[in-house]
């Protein structure tokens, strides 16, 4: 029976860079999830009888939220709901299921790399029929709707069993619990040379993949250990836990420092890797060599043709604006277009759909391709395995040869987390106001060649996105970018992206800290970071 429940709007249900993210207790308030989900459906048309995919990263409150989503979807007239067994479906796997089953869209319950648990974060994201995150015009319409909503429709029924595979019928409607791994693993097998990678493992190649007690555990165990023959125990923390084992499921050098230490030890594994809460991010570290996400994108783009799924070459490369320009050098060399988009995977969707880009990536540990419409952590690790197997070289050799050929983009991101929002806004506004006078300003050896506030014109649908981050370019090809994160759940996070290009192989072995010291200092001075935020140093450097 369908019930119409009276409700009132909640403040602040505005989707950010990647869906709506808040502290878990915010989502646990009565009607909070229902309001948001009904608001999504209110902004869609033509889903009567269609398929909706629902999955999450297994974090605390995942199962409860799924029950609400499914009951609202059925009450609103979806014909079929596909749910990952146990409520588990990684973000890239959800994207694949949406595409493979011709679904109308999907709802992903995740706050990605943010910590989970009763005091952690939770999130809801809507993906459209191409498998990718809803574009801005949809998320803005949803936000507008959340401010007006007065009722939602929900099925009055006992909770559904999320664990038994199979189909349940409710009159004309069906709920199917699907194996979350099978379709995704089959897709990976098509894209990569599994025979070759299996031979690599057989020859003694050692992998340590940390699933961080998050969603990729079941995927990684099946693909790396069962299908590719990696040594038992290659996958660490393989069981998804509601609180991610109390850890922060962010595969960066801070939260996965143990992997860095392992990779830097003389007898370390050949490849250390990790993925985040919902499986879309990746970390790649070879023995003795960390690969920055920006370098990883460039190297993947330059070598993708070694994997069977990309044997015909890449059609174009896309990167988010703050991502280093290492990929630009590759695009130039292989003669394909390079697209610079705002931060957020949703901006790649049109380029991928139009066949203009094949490989996409972001500095925030994301890489992917046109195989789905999300970034994909395991895909990136498999791509690296395929490249290493095909080239018969280790990570360090692949990276240093890449730099020798294309130059090295020294790169770091400085995050000032949870600063006061008002101060952060003022900092950005002051920088924006100063833009016209910055050109020609000199600081020691550094001279500003130009500065602007990045705006994007989508070449496919003609939409415009303004104020996407402040770029300061230097005459020696260095760059500082400032923007506020769109994924935080407390205060504001100022991100400062620092980059310098070094074409000379003799100068490509400095530490990043050494190479960027001047620019890093200037980044604080130029924006008055201490003055506006009270912070003398970043909280996280990646
Ligand atoms: C999300 C988006 C990415 C973005 C990242 C960081 O990733 O999908 O496109 O680069 O957030 O965004 P921000 O700098 O605004 O915090 P994820 O892995 O959190 O879904």
């Amino acid at each position: 029976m369908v019930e119409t429940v009276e409700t009132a709007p909640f403040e602040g249900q505005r989707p950010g860079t990647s869906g709506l993210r808040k502290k878990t207790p915010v989502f646990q308030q009565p009607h909070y999830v229902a309001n948001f989900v009904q608001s999504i459906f209110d902004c869609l048309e033509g889903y009567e009888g269609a398929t909706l995919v629902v999955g999450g990263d297994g974090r605390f409150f995942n199962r409860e939220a799924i029950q609400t989503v499914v009951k609202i979807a059925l009450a609103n007239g979806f014909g079929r709901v596909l749910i990952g067994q146990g409520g588990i479906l990684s973000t890239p796997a959800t994207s694949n299921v949406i595409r493979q089953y011709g679904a109308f869209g999907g709802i992903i319950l995740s706050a990605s790399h943010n910590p989970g648990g009763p005091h952690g974060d939770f999130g809801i994201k809507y993906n459209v029929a191409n498998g990718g995150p809803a574009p801005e015009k949809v998320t803005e319409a949803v936000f507008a709707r959340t401010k007006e909503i007065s009722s939602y429709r929900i099925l009055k029924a006992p909770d559904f069993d999320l664990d038994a595979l199979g189909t349940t019928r409710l009159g004309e409607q069906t709920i199917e619990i699907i194996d979350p791994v099978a379709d995704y693993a089959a897709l990976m097998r098509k894209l990569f040379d599994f025979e070759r990678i299996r031979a690599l493992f057989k020859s003694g190649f050692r992998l340590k993949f940390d699933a961080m007690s998050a969603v990729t555990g079941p995927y990684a165990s099946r693909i790396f250990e069962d299908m590719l023959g990696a040594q038992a125990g290659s996958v660490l923390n393989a069981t998804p836990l509601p609180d991610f084992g109390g850890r922060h499921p962010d595969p960066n050098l801070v939260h996965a420092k143990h992997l860095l230490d392992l990779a830097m030890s003389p007898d370390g594994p050949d490849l250390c890797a990790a993925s985040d809460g919902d499986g879309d991010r990746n970390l790649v570290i070879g023995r003795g060599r960390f690969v920055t996400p920006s370098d990883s994108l460039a190297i993947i783009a330059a070598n993708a043709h070694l994997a069977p799924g990309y044997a015909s070459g890449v059609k174009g490369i896309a990167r988010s604006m703050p991502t280093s320009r290492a990929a630009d050098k590759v695009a130039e060399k292989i003669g394909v277009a390079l697209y610079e988009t705002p931060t957020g995977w949703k901006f790649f969707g049109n380029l991928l759909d139009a066949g203009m880009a094949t490989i996409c990536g972001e500095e925030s540990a994301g890489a992917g391709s046109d195989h789905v419409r999300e970034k994909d952590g395991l895909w990136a690790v498999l791509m690296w395995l395929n490249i290493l197997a095909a080239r018969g070289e280790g990570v360090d050799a692949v990276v240093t040869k890449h730099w020798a050929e294309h130059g090295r983009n020294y790169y770091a991101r400085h995050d000032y987390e949870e600063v006061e929002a008002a101060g952060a806004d003022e900092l950005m506004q002051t920088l924006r106001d100063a833009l016209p006078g910055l050109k020609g300003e000199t600081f020691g050896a550094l001279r500003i060649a130009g500065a602007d506030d990045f705006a994007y014109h989508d070449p496919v649908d003609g939409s415009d996105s303004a104020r996407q981050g402040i770029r300061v370019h230097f005459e020696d090809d260095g760059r500082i970018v400032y923007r506020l994160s769109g994924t935080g759940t407390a205060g504001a996070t100022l991100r400062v992206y620092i980059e310098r290009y070094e074409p000379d192989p003799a100068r490509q072995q400095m530490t990043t800290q050494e190479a960027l010291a001047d620019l890093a200092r200037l980044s604080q001075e130029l924006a008055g970071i201490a003055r506006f935020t009270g912070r003398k140093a970043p909280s996280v450097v990646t």
Side-chain angles (χ1 to χ4, degrees), residues 17 21 112-113 281 345 362 364 375 483 485-487 495:
T17 308
R21 287 188 195 167
S112 187
H113 54 289
R281 296 185 172 209
W345 204 264
E362 294 187 285
S364 56
K375 56 186 182 275
R483 60 178 284 279
S485 158
T487 55
R495 300 207 197 284

Side-chain angles (χ1 to χ4, degrees), residues 143-296:
F143 177 48
R145 180 67 194 147
T146 64
K147 293 192 278 192
E148 290 166 356
I149 190 165
S150 58
S151 67
Y152 58 83
R153 291 159 63 75
I154 188 161
L155 199 69
K156 243 188 136 187
D159 280 355
F160 299 105
D161 178 353
L162 302 180
D163 296 303
L165 290 175
T167 304
T168 307
R169 290 193 177 283
L170 293 163
E172 295 290 292
Q173 296 174 303
T174 57
I175 297 169
E176 287 174 41
I177 305 294
I178 59 169
D179 176 341
V181 180
D183 295 315
Y184 178 83
L187 175 64
M188 293 300 116
R189 188 197 271 278
K190 266 196 253 160
L191 297 176
F192 299 109
D193 191 342
F194 271 37
E195 290 312 313
R196 205 164 200 168
I197 301 174
R198 200 173 304 140
L200 181 73
F201 281 122
K202 217 167 179 183
S203 72
F205 185 95
R206 287 177 302 140
L207 167 76
K208 280 284 178 214
F209 176 88
D210 192 345
M212 304 191 97
S213 307
V215 80
T216 52
Y219 297 84
S221 302
R222 191 146 357 143
I223 295 173
F224 295 137
E225 295 187 9
D226 302 350
M227 296 169 79
L228 291 170
Q231 238 175 43
S234 296
V235 180
L236 309 169
N237 302 306
T239 307
L241 300 174
D243 67 347
F244 306 123
R247 289 167 62 205
H248 197 130
D250 189 348
N252 65 20
L253 295 183
V254 177
H255 300 296
K257 177 151 188 314
H258 60 288
L259 278 186
L260 181 69
D261 295 343
L262 189 63
M264 294 303 153
S265 61
D267 191 33
D270 298 283
L271 183 66
C272 289
S275 190
D276 69 332
D278 62 332
D280 55 2
R281 296 185 172 209
N282 75 84
L283 170 74
V284 168
I285 320 177
R287 190 182 313 113
R289 175 66 65 193
F290 162 63
V291 189
T292 68
S294 295
D295 276 347
S296 184

